């Protein structure tokens, strides 16, 4: 059993990335923790697919950004921003499933 990602991440957030995409960022407290998570490939398409209950094809990218000790995840929005039934036009509340990750 690992430790909660919230213990090694300084910031876990989501945001609007246009009308068709959402982006989530995990910014780590230190380079050591970031490197360990990156090397173990913990944040991968299978995990994101499971957490967000979306097909892997709807995951646009998972990018390791070394200078910022961050991982950026971009997915297709389930509904277009502002569409009828869409509940978070800013995408600011979509990071919650990431909070349960163990590393």
């Amino acid at each position: 059993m690992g430790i909660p990602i919230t213990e090694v991440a300084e910031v876990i957030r989501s945001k609007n990335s246009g009308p068709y995409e959402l982006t989530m960022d995990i910014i780590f407290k230190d380079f050591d923790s970031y490197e360990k998570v990156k090397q173990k490939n913990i944040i991968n398409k299978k995990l994101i697919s499971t957490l967000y209950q979306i097909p892997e094809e709807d995951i646009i990218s998972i990018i390791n950004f070394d200078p910022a000790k961050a991982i950026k995840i971009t997915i297709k929005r389930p509904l277009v921003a502002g569409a009828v039934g869409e509940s978070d036009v800013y995408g600011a509340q979509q990071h919650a499933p990431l909070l349960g990750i163990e590393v």
Side-chain angles (χ1 to χ4, degrees):
M1 185 175 255
I3 61 169
I5 197 160
T6 53
E7 289 187 22
V8 295
E10 185 171 5
V11 174
I12 300 174
R13 66 183 178 202
S14 59
K15 56 190 169 188
N16 181 29
S17 185
Y20 306 105
E21 300 175 1
L22 293 168
T23 294
M24 283 76 67
D25 300 315
I26 303 171
I27 304 170
F28 292 82
K29 293 178 181 179
D30 57 73
F31 283 100
D32 186 49
S33 297
Y34 165 72
E35 282 296 326
K36 286 178 182 172
V37 171
K38 180 177 113 173
Q39 294 303 318
K40 290 181 180 179
N41 194 32
I42 292 170
I43 311 300
N44 58 59
K45 284 190 172 191
K46 183 175 180 170
L47 174 68
I48 300 304
S49 173
T50 300
L51 290 175
Y52 285 89
Q53 299 177 2
I54 60 173
E56 288 186 24
E57 301 81 48
D58 286 355
I59 300 166
I60 296 166
S61 63
I62 299 175
I63 299 170
N64 297 308
F65 188 62
D66 296 344
K69 59 187 183 307
I71 299 173
K72 179 179 279 300
I73 304 149
T74 303
I75 64 172
K76 291 181 183 177
R77 279 182 170 272
L79 293 171
V80 175
V84 174
E86 199 276 327
S87 61
D88 186 11
V89 73
Y90 298 110
Q93 300 173 15
Q94 304 307 311
H95 63 284
L98 301 176
L99 300 174
I101 296 172
E102 290 189 353
V103 296

